[in-house]
Amino acid sequence: AVNGIYSGLQRIYNGTDTEGAIYMLTELRSDNSDYHYYNLDRGIQQREDISDFLMHSASVYNQYVWNELYNAVQQANKVLGSVGTAEFKDEKLRIRSESEARFIRALLYFHLVRLYGEVPLRLEATTGPGDAFTPKQATVDEIYAQIKQDVKFAVENLEVSYTGTNIGRATKGAALTLEGEVFL
């Protein structure tokens, strides 16, 4: 289940088509990059709009990032909702699983709050249509408070490094880096 959360990160950061759209909404709008269009074919107008800070809710990039961030939040919440009751042969693995899920959820909400400001703060998995549209938007302060809580847990419990097939998992260094960015 934890690996499924990482799968969501691949869709968010991948650099092809609308996948990797997080780049469009962050770096393309910064002074780190710029979109240069081809005068004879202005077919990708939405990319040009993002570069020119003309963002709108109908943008395929905006919709894709929103959906994928919340899809990954859902996966993290599923893990966090069951990690306490699931049977683990090793308590250390249970704590690591919870730490990874909380770190990734914090990272996702860090993107959400910086891109959109007040957003719904879902801390439990959606289980059906009846709860798909709850809760209402949280304040920026409430979202940052949750991010800090999740990151603190991750910093205290994640491994410094991994070996073998676990290389690439969230580490204490990654959590400390996110914590530093949050405080900046």
Side-chain angles (χ1 to χ4, degrees), residues 6 8 11 44 55-56 59 63 67 75 78 86 100-101 110 113 115 121 135 143 159 176:
Y6 285 100
R11 288 187 302 277
I44 309 179
M55 203 53 199
H56 51 85
S59 165
Q63 291 173 7
N67 290 340
Q75 293 301 319
K78 281 184 179 180
E100 289 178 68
F110 186 60
V113 74
L115 288 170
L121 181 60
I143 297 163
E159 301 288 330
L176 285 167

Side-chain angles (χ1 to χ4, degrees), residues 65-105:
V65 167
W66 177 271
N67 290 340
E68 289 305 324
L69 287 169
Y70 272 109
N71 284 338
V73 165
Q74 171 73 356
Q75 293 301 319
N77 285 339
K78 281 184 179 180
V79 169
L80 291 169
S82 62
V83 74
T85 57
E87 289 187 33
F88 285 85
K89 292 180 182 178
D90 180 4
E91 180 64 13
K92 192 174 179 181
L93 180 59
R94 185 194 67 73
I95 292 169
R96 187 186 87 189
S97 297
E98 182 178 355
S99 301
E100 289 178 68
R102 289 181 71 164
F103 166 77
I104 295 171
R105 182 173 70 182

Side-chain angles (χ1 to χ4, degrees), residues 6-154:
Y6 285 100
S7 176
L9 292 178
Q10 290 177 354
R11 288 187 302 277
I12 292 164
Y13 293 112
N14 188 346
T16 62
D17 198 34
T18 54
E19 292 182 1
I22 193 84
Y23 161 80
M24 297 290 175
L25 301 186
T26 56
E27 291 299 306
L28 190 59
R29 295 193 318 186
S30 74
D31 60 353
N32 295 333
S33 65
D34 188 27
Y35 182 76
H36 294 282
Y37 58 85
Y38 179 56
N39 281 327
L40 299 178
D41 180 8
R42 305 279 298 275
I44 309 179
Q45 182 69 36
Q46 291 187 23
R47 289 184 185 177
E48 184 180 340
D49 288 348
I50 293 168
S51 183
D52 293 338
F53 297 93
L54 301 173
M55 203 53 199
H56 51 85
S57 60
S59 165
V60 66
Y61 298 102
N62 195 38
Q63 291 173 7
Y64 185 85
V65 167
W66 177 271
N67 290 340
E68 289 305 324
L69 287 169
Y70 272 109
N71 284 338
V73 165
Q74 171 73 356
Q75 293 301 319
N77 285 339
K78 281 184 179 180
V79 169
L80 291 169
S82 62
V83 74
T85 57
E87 289 187 33
F88 285 85
K89 292 180 182 178
D90 180 4
E91 180 64 13
K92 192 174 179 181
L93 180 59
R94 185 194 67 73
I95 292 169
R96 187 186 87 189
S97 297
E98 182 178 355
S99 301
E100 289 178 68
R102 289 181 71 164
F103 166 77
I104 295 171
R105 182 173 70 182
L107 176 64
L108 298 166
Y109 273 112
F110 186 60
H111 285 313
L112 282 162
V113 74
R114 288 181 22 182
L115 288 170
Y116 304 108
E118 295 181 350
V119 296
L121 181 60
R122 295 205 57 88
L123 300 177
E124 296 177 4
T126 302
T127 57
D131 67 342
F133 298 101
T134 58
K136 301 297 180 204
Q137 290 180 331
T139 67
V140 169
D141 288 341
E142 291 170 329
I143 297 163
Y144 272 108
Q146 184 62 47
I147 291 168
K148 289 174 186 175
Q149 183 180 339
D150 283 345
V151 168
K152 183 178 188 274
F153 187 90

